[in-house]
Amino acid sequence: MRKQEAAMALVDILKREGVRTVFGVPGGPVMALCDAIKRDGEIEFVLTKHEQAAAFAAFGEAQATGRLGVCLATLGPGATNLAPGLPVAGVEGVPVLAITGQVQLDGQRRGGHQDSTGLYGTPDQTALFASICKSSEMLTRASHLPDAFRRAIRLAHAGRPGPVHVSLPSGLLHEEIDYEPLAPHQYRLTRSHVVDRQAASRIAERLAAAQAPVFLLGMRARHCGRVVEQLAERFGIAVAVDVGSKSVVDERHPSYLGCLGVLGHRAAENFVKTTADLVVAVGESFDEVSMLSWDPAIAQGRDLIQIDSLADEIGKAYPVTDATIGSLPDVLEEIARVHPEIAPSVLEERRVALANHLKRNPLFADPEMESDQVPMLPQRIMADLAEAVPDDAILLSDSSKWVRWLGRFFCARPGQVLSAHDFEPMGWAVAAALGVKRAFPDRPVVSLSGDGAFLMSALEIATAVDHNLPVVWMVFNDARLGIIHDLQEMLYGGRYCGTQFRSPDLIAFSESLGARGFKVEKPGDLASALADGLASGRPCVLDIRFDVNEVPAVRPRALIVTKEMGLPAPGIGFTTTRTLFKMLKDK
């Protein structure tokens, strides 16, 4: 035990957790922490242009690494700006620590500046964060700081990982406290290898006995790709994913069937719904869009086994035949260990059936992907991107219809794509790319956004310039909020409200902030622009022009999805007709 300034104790706790970046905007009550970070010199403070972007950046770093992401804001308006960036961490299961300031304790009952304690009409900052975080606490004694932050960090990683919040009244960080340095494993579980061996054995037996088994991977299976590929190769098991877990496996793998969902692959949907007699869902959230509004055919007529890290997810969407919880990679490793060998004839039969299924339902082979049309088709852009982007690049897929184009037409390498598909806040990827680049400075980082989502966080280009973070932002420029605009066209007779805008000159805008800008207008442009951007070592924006009238081939149940969401039936019009034609052609 030693005497130490509270702010320096907090810096030590963060460093021992592997934190190397704090994203945020300083303010009076937290200046002591910023000063301690500066004096210590091992953590970099990244000043974002908005507190919400700080939360997104911390989320991006944590999602990409599995380590704790940290964001900081002052009290009152700073805290309320930070809060909207945190729910995505809860939904996607990512550990993020939010630190905010608070008015000094003596000022909390008599009109302290920006008081946010809930007294006299002020917002209750602790309660606000409690509604979106796993825990929210305001310290009242500096001596409580080590235990309070260790508890918050413990909760951020425990069970369903997510965001936590600690508020620091002004003055506490300057106080000296008794501080005992502890390694993370001394106050929280840092490794978990929980496996129900009996359940794993039962599941292995079912996999061996099945005629056409398939793994269905969700977002919590993001670290299971290697063992899933090994199981697929050894035993001829098919593999499908939802859009949120795209790139969990190498999408060139012969067992890969593609994405399940509204704009998913025919191969995945047809196999899961008509061919498979056993579906093993791993870390699957069963979100509405991926499950085609919870299509009964996914579970009817076949056994459904659920493997998850969370007990409350079991049976959430469909009844299950069997289930187990535990550390997902370890559960799958145990299944691989005890899986009975299957007869060579059975293995060959499975492999031939899979190969024939993919011949009838090929992936990444749509003729539009080779189109030389100008303006470019989105399918061609995704094909060009797959060819041009380095294998070690990390792509962040923002909330837009480009999530769907990417899922359907981009052939990904293992771990190449990060998304926030279950919550999808617009603009998250623009800022989260900063956190990913801080975590992996030697890997190319590329953010994909529609221009509507991009403009919500676009000033973070200046943050990248300030901190020498050479991110590439691909911005798909159509001067509209694409998904909602298309739905207004199809469902509301083309009465557009709030979905059209004047997009700025993205090249001039980017260059005014110190970044480079490239326009991409025809096939072939993307490869050279991306190469030039990555080689420049500077933040870059690619202004992508494309055929704004192109519509994707949705899966047939897409019409049911919009109906189940409470939306009207499609009307007759150009976009609807083209969509239905493509749907029938792709069926």
Side-chain angles (χ1 to χ4, degrees):
M1 193 78 70
R2 68 193 189 205
K3 291 287 186 182
Q4 188 159 23
E5 182 190 28
M8 291 301 294
L10 177 51
V11 169
D12 186 69
I13 291 170
L14 297 180
K15 284 165 49 180
R16 291 172 184 274
E17 284 288 343
V19 174
R20 292 295 175 263
T21 310
V22 173
F23 302 91
V25 180
V30 292
M31 283 195 296
L33 177 56
C34 296
D35 183 64
I37 289 171
K38 185 70 173 179
R39 282 183 284 144
D40 179 81
E42 292 188 28
I43 294 176
E44 180 171 345
F45 188 91
V46 172
L47 170 62
T48 56
K49 300 300 171 277
H50 193 281
E51 291 90 348
Q52 178 178 270
F56 286 154
F59 166 74
E61 182 177 31
Q63 185 186 39
T65 64
R67 298 194 304 264
L68 184 72
V70 182
C71 52
L72 176 74
T74 191
L75 74 170
T80 55
N81 280 348
L82 184 73
L86 293 172
V88 64
V91 175
E92 304 296 331
V94 173
V96 173
L97 169 63
I99 304 171
T100 64
Q102 184 55 276
V103 73
Q104 69 272 22
L105 294 173
D106 288 344
Q108 291 184 3
R109 288 170 175 79
R110 47 184 179 175
H113 182 57
Q114 296 184 323
D115 186 345
S116 301
T117 57
L119 300 171
Y120 302 109
T122 65
D124 188 335
Q125 189 169 300
T126 306
L128 169 66
F129 281 83
S131 70
I132 54 177
C133 293
K134 295 181 69 178
S135 70
S136 179
E137 179 180 1
M138 183 185 74
L139 293 192
T140 56
R141 292 185 179 181
S143 60
H144 294 170
L145 182 144
D147 286 344
F149 274 93
R150 287 167 181 155
R151 173 182 178 273
I153 293 167
R154 184 164 56 247
L155 289 172
H157 286 282
R160 186 190 300 269
V164 291
H165 167 246
V166 180
S167 182
L168 299 169
S170 185
L172 293 189
L173 288 169
H174 288 292
E175 294 184 25
E176 278 207 345
I177 61 172
D178 291 324
Y179 176 64
E180 180 181 1
L182 297 177
H185 74 269
Q186 293 179 280
Y187 58 86
R188 68 176 180 88
L189 190 65
T190 57
R191 295 180 183 179
S192 175
H193 301 283
V194 176
V195 177
D196 181 337
R197 297 186 186 279
Q198 289 185 337
S201 181
R202 292 196 308 270
I203 294 169
E205 292 287 348
R206 286 185 178 275
L207 279 167
Q211 182 176 350
V214 59
F215 282 117
L216 178 57
L217 307 181
M219 65 177 182
R220 284 183 296 281
R222 62 172 69 99
H223 302 300
C224 298
R226 181 187 58 82
V227 64
V228 167
E229 287 181 9
Q230 290 173 351
L231 280 162
E233 289 166 10
R234 282 180 59 196
F235 303 114
I237 304 171
V239 180
V241 304
D242 66 24
V243 175
S245 58
K246 183 175 176 64
S247 84
V248 166
V249 297
D250 189 332
E251 297 185 354
R252 300 165 296 182
H253 194 281
S255 292
Y256 181 66
L257 299 174
C259 296
L260 188 67
V262 168
L263 295 180
H265 291 100
R266 183 176 65 223
E269 182 178 346
N270 287 356
F271 194 95
V272 169
K273 290 168 55 175
T274 62
T275 302
D277 59 342
L278 174 64
V279 176
V280 179
V282 183
E284 179 58 68
S285 65
F286 295 101
D287 71 278
E288 182 177 22
V289 175
S290 294
M291 295 302 115
L292 301 155
S293 195
W294 305 289
D295 188 347
I298 290 173
Q300 285 179 354
R302 57 194 47 82
D303 289 336
L304 174 63
I305 293 175
Q306 203 170 343
I307 303 173
D308 213 299
S309 54
L310 303 169
D312 63 348
E313 291 285 338
I314 302 299
K316 181 178 78 175
Y318 298 101
V320 297
T321 305
D322 201 349
T324 187
I325 61 169
S327 167
L328 297 185
D330 294 291
V331 172
L332 292 170
E333 292 280 4
E334 178 65 12
I335 289 172
R337 188 184 71 81
V338 301
H339 195 295
E341 293 301 324
I342 58 178
S345 59
V346 174
L347 179 59
E348 181 64 17
E349 184 179 333
R350 285 183 179 182
R351 287 173 173 168
V352 169
L354 259 177
N356 289 337
H357 181 80
L358 286 168
K359 284 180 182 177
R360 295 190 300 271
N361 305 279
L363 304 179
F364 313 117
D366 301 66
E368 294 91 342
M369 296 177 71
E370 299 180 358
S371 170
D372 291 327
Q373 173 187 315
V374 177
M376 291 184 293
L377 293 179
Q379 299 94 320
R380 174 60 189 267
I381 295 170
M382 292 296 104
D384 285 356
L385 178 62
E387 289 293 325
V389 73
D391 285 354
D392 65 340
I394 302 173
L395 279 62
L396 293 90
S397 181
D398 213 329
S399 172
S400 70
K401 62 183 177 183
W402 288 92
V403 173
R404 283 74 176 172
W405 290 117
L406 188 80
R408 177 74 174 269
F409 298 105
F410 178 81
C411 183
R413 308 299 186 258
Q416 196 169 41
V417 178
L418 297 177
S419 76
H421 182 252
D422 281 7
F423 197 65
E424 284 199 313
M426 291 179 67
W428 78 270
V430 179
L434 305 177
V436 177
K437 191 63 179 178
R438 276 289 300 164
F440 298 103
D442 297 326
R443 295 178 64 179
V445 175
V446 181
S447 166
L448 290 81
S449 301
D451 51 352
F454 173 74
L455 290 172
M456 290 187 174
S457 299
L459 286 178
E460 300 314 318
I461 295 173
T463 303
V465 172
D466 287 344
H467 293 273
N468 191 29
L469 298 171
V471 170
V472 174
W473 289 274
M474 291 179 60
V475 184
F476 301 93
N477 192 338
D478 60 359
R480 61 185 64 171
L481 303 181
I483 294 176
I484 305 304
H485 183 278
D486 290 351
L487 288 173
Q488 287 178 340
E489 167 73 27
M490 295 176 62
L491 308 182
Y492 293 91
R495 294 184 297 276
Y496 307 117
C497 178
T499 57
Q500 297 174 327
F501 54 90
R502 180 176 177 178
S503 193
D505 182 334
L506 294 177
I507 305 299
F509 173 73
S510 305
E511 292 177 348
S512 74
L513 296 174
R516 298 193 67 188
F518 300 89
K519 187 171 287 187
V520 175
E521 297 182 287
K522 60 183 186 299
D525 284 356
L526 178 59
S528 58
L530 185 59
D532 289 347
L534 293 173
S536 72
R538 292 169 54 190
C540 295
V541 171
L542 307 187
D543 181 356
I544 312 289
R545 303 304 176 95
F546 64 98
D547 184 351
V548 300
N549 294 314
E550 177 66 3
V551 293
V554 298
R555 305 303 305 146
R557 269 190 67 90
L559 302 179
I560 302 295
V561 174
T562 55
K563 179 183 177 182
E564 292 295 318
M565 287 179 171
L567 300 175
I572 301 300
F574 176 71
T575 300
T576 303
T577 302
R578 289 189 67 193
T579 301
L580 291 174
F581 175 76
K582 287 200 168 196
M583 180 181 73
L584 293 171
K585 182 181 176 182
D586 190 61
K587 187 171 184 292

